[in-house]
Amino acid sequence: NFLLTQPHSVSESPGKTVTISCTGSSGSIASNYVQWYQQRPGSAPTTVIYEDSQRPSGVPDRFSGSIDSSSNSASLTISGLKTEDEADYYCQSYDSSNLWVFGGGTRLTVL
Amino acid sequence: QVTLRESGPALVKPTQTLTLTCTFSGFSLSTRGMCVSWIRQPPGKALEWLALIDWDDDKYYNTSLKTRLTISKDTSKTQVVLSMTNMDPVDTAIYYCARMVRGFLFDVWGKGTTVTVSS
């Protein structure tokens, strides 16, 4: 089974920068696009990054995404942290065997 | 404006079949590239992709749940229905429907519907 592994939780102070990783268990993570979704408590997920590094309109440029083929990982970086960024973040990609796959999610706490 | 809304029973008994409906507007499921998917989230746990139907009526299922799931769309193509058989308490979750575009992006989600499996 293809898995996307994320840290369970990360925390950082307002104004700082945080990076959340998403590591593919097999194959090349660069072979298929990675998306990132933000989910605030009690709400449905919304897209913050698609196609590895693209931001939907309305998402501030404090959010950025990247791929590191050497570690088979995708990363979501949020700079200038705000308390409103506190949420769960999920990476998502595609695998030919398991089709559409989500990571286990990362709880971001902005202290 | 694209919207999706899930509906269905809030409570089902173990072994029963769950039927959920996703009613959508703002796009046509007949348009090439359009897809609707079901995704669930057990309490305090991660998102899990369940099933997807595309504009050409092709259907795709989570391999772990494939034998229990059926996805379909109605002839007017504004509703997508998911059936899950033999429900168990571990299937207790929020069930979301979402539009998928470009083959990989769940760009618009419904608010979700909570399903509890209990006798």
Side-chain angles (χ1 to χ4, degrees):
Chain A
N1 269 5
F2 177 69
L3 298 175
L4 294 171
T5 300
Q6 301 179 232
H8 182 70
S9 63
V10 295
S11 60
E12 190 50 270
S13 303
K16 299 292 189 179
T17 297
V18 70
T19 296
I20 300 171
S21 62
C22 170
T23 302
S25 62
S26 61
S28 171
I29 201 163
S31 297
N32 294 286
Y33 287 127
V34 174
Q35 285 59 243
W36 290 90
Y37 302 91
Q38 177 191 68
Q39 186 180 33
R40 293 193 172 105
S43 296
T46 60
T47 310
V48 292
I49 294 289
Y50 68 98
E51 285 185 16
D52 300 338
S53 60
Q54 302 302 304
R55 278 180 289 105
S57 60
V59 174
D61 60 6
R62 300 184 297 104
F63 289 80
S64 62
S66 63
I67 297 290
D68 181 356
S69 297
S70 65
S71 60
N72 210 37
S73 294
S75 294
L76 171 69
T77 298
I78 310 171
S79 60
L81 276 170
K82 299 185 177 184
T83 55
E84 67 202 47
D85 299 331
E86 192 162 285
D88 293 329
Y89 291 86
Y90 292 90
C91 59
Q92 172 256 316
S93 190
Y94 174 84
D95 170 73
S96 59
S97 297
N98 299 279
L99 304 181
W100 294 274
V101 178
F102 288 92
T106 298
R107 172 70 53 87
L108 169 62
T109 302
V110 182
L111 304 160
Chain B
Q1 180 190 6
V2 173
T3 65
L4 303 97
R5 185 183 77 250
E6 306 87 351
S7 58
L11 179 66
V12 298
K13 290 180 168 36
T15 75
Q16 286 186 335
T17 294
L18 170 69
T19 299
L20 296 173
T21 300
C22 175
T23 303
F24 59 87
S25 64
F27 69 99
S28 173
L29 198 43
S30 298
T31 300
R32 184 178 182 83
M34 291 295 163
C35 309
V36 171
S37 196
W38 286 93
I39 296 150
R40 71 178 179 180
Q41 185 173 37
K45 295 189 177 181
L47 301 167
E48 179 182 32
W49 174 76
L50 297 177
L52 180 142
I53 190 164
D54 71 13
W55 74 97
D56 206 24
D57 208 33
D58 289 324
K59 300 157 188 176
Y60 304 87
Y61 297 101
N62 181 311
T63 53
S64 301
L65 297 166
K66 185 172 185 175
T67 60
R68 299 174 54 204
L69 296 173
T70 303
I71 192 169
S72 63
K73 56 181 167 68
D74 73 348
T75 52
S76 67
K77 301 185 177 70
T78 60
Q79 287 189 331
V80 170
V81 175
L82 180 76
S83 295
M84 180 180 286
T85 61
N86 194 25
M87 293 292 285
D88 183 272
V90 300
D91 296 313
T92 293
I94 299 173
Y95 286 76
Y96 296 98
C97 63
R99 184 177 77 165
M100 193 187 76
V101 296
R102 306 178 68 175
F104 54 82
L105 172 60
F106 300 105
D107 68 334
V108 184
W109 297 59
K111 294 184 185 301
T113 187
T114 299
V115 177
T116 301
V117 184
S118 175
S119 55

